[in-house]
Amino acid sequence: MNRISFSRLSLLSVLSLLLLAACSAPAPQVASTPGNSAGMGMGMGMASGMMERHRAQVPAPYAGLSSPVKADAESLTRGAAVFTANCATCHGDGGMGDGPAGVSLNPVPAAVAHTSQMMGDDYLFWRISEGGVPFTTAMPVWKEALTEQQRWDVINYVRALGRGDVKPGQAVGGAAYDPQAEAAQRAEVLAQSVAKGQITQAQADNFTIVHAALEDHMAASPHDSGSGNPAERQAAVLAELVQDGAITQAQADMFSKTHDLLHAAGLIE
Ligand code: HEC
C-alpha cells in the first residue's frame, strides 16, 4: 500500500484526538489535485493549511468565550436541526467532512465531529461565526444566519456526534465517527511509517501508548470546556496527563517528536 492509498480518515487517525485535532491530511486531494496544500511537502505555510488554522490565535471578541448553553437533550435536539439544515451538506450527516457538497472543495470540509473534541469553545464559536474568511476557505460565515444560541447548540451537537452520544441524521449520507476503524488505520499507518524508516518502532509504540492515555482521559472527562485552538488544547491535555502521572514528560515529548516526523514525512499536513 502506498501513501496515496491512505484514506483521509486514516491520516486523521494518526493524529487522532489531540494530534488529530491539531493537524490532519486530506489525502484524497493528494491524488486528485496535485499541487494543492495537502500535497507532500507542499502543505506547510500555505493559506489553506489545516495546521495553520489549528494554530491560529482566537481573536477578540471571541478569545476566552465559554459556552453558556449546556449540552442537554434540548440543546442537542436543536443542534441536530441546525446541523441538518445548514452543515450536513458539506460536513456529512456524521460530521466527518464527507457531505456531497464538500467533495469538490479545497480544502475539504473538516471532520468536525472528531476534531471538535480538541477545540476550545472559543475556537469553535469563532470558526463557525466568521467561517473561512480569515483563511479564504469555503466554510461559510454563520454569525448572521444563526443566532448565538443556535451556534452553541450546533457545537454541542457536533461534539456529541464525535463521541457517539447521538446518532447521525439521515439527510445527505456520510460516515459516522468509528473509533475501531480509526484505531486499525492508525496502527497500519504507524506500522508502515516504521517499515519505511520514517519513525522508529519505539516511537510508534510510544505513540500508541500516549494515544491510549489521551483516549482514556477524554472518555473520563469530555472536553466540553476550556478555550484555545487545537494546538493549545493538545499541549494543555498532554501537560495534564503528565501531571496526573498517566504518562511521563519523556513520553509526551516523544509523542510530539513523532508527530513532527510524520509531518516531515508528508503523512500529515
Ligand atoms: C459550503 C460547505 C460548508 C458548509 C455548509 C459548512 N461548512 Fe464548515 N467547513 C467547510 C470547509 C471547507 C471547512 C474547512 C476549511 C476551514 O476550516 O475554514 C470547514 C470547517 C469548519 C470548522 C473548522 C474545523 C477545524 O478543524 O478547524 C467548523 C467548526 C465547521 N466547519 C463547522 C460548521 C458548521 C457548524 C456548519 C453549519 C452551521 C458548517 N460548518 C457548514 C465547509 C462548510
Side-chain angles (χ1 to χ4, degrees), residues 2 4 54 64-65 68 74 104 107 120 139 143 159 161 167 174 178 184 188 199 246 250:
N2 61 34
I4 299 299
H54 284 179
L65 281 186
E74 288 77 30
S104 58
M139 169 63 183
K143 66 182 172 189
R159 282 173 167 161
L161 264 183
K167 285 240 180 310
D178 178 349
E188 187 179 321
I199 60 173

Side-chain angles (χ1 to χ4, degrees), residues 116 118-125 159 225-230 233:
S116 61
M118 279 309 298
M119 291 175 173
D121 288 352
D122 56 350
Y123 180 88
L124 278 166
F125 194 75
R159 282 173 167 161
S225 54
S227 60
N229 66 35
R233 296 292 306 141

Side-chain angles (χ1 to χ4, degrees), residues 8 20-22 24 48-50 53-54 82-91 101-102 105-116 119 123-128 131-142 146 150-151 154-155 158 230:
R8 175 155 178 268
L20 227 164
S24 81
S48 60
M50 188 182 273
R53 296 193 293 279
H54 284 179
V82 172
F83 187 84
T84 300
N86 302 287
C87 320
T89 178
C90 284
H91 287 282
L105 300 178
N106 176 18
V108 293
V112 285
H114 194 37
T115 60
S116 61
M119 291 175 173
Y123 180 88
L124 278 166
F125 194 75
W126 165 51
R127 292 304 326 278
I128 293 167
V133 173
F135 309 103
T136 43
T137 73
M139 169 63 183
V141 174
W142 295 102
L146 299 176
Q150 285 177 311
R151 281 173 266 158
V154 81
I155 287 170
V158 295

Side-chain angles (χ1 to χ4, degrees), residues 15 17-24 50-55 115 118 230-231 234 259 269:
L15 303 179
L17 300 174
L18 304 187
L19 274 188
L20 227 164
C23 333
S24 81
M50 188 182 273
M51 183 78 98
E52 184 204 346
R53 296 193 293 279
H54 284 179
R55 290 179 184 279
T115 60
M118 279 309 298
Q234 173 185 310
H259 161 261
E269 183 177 272

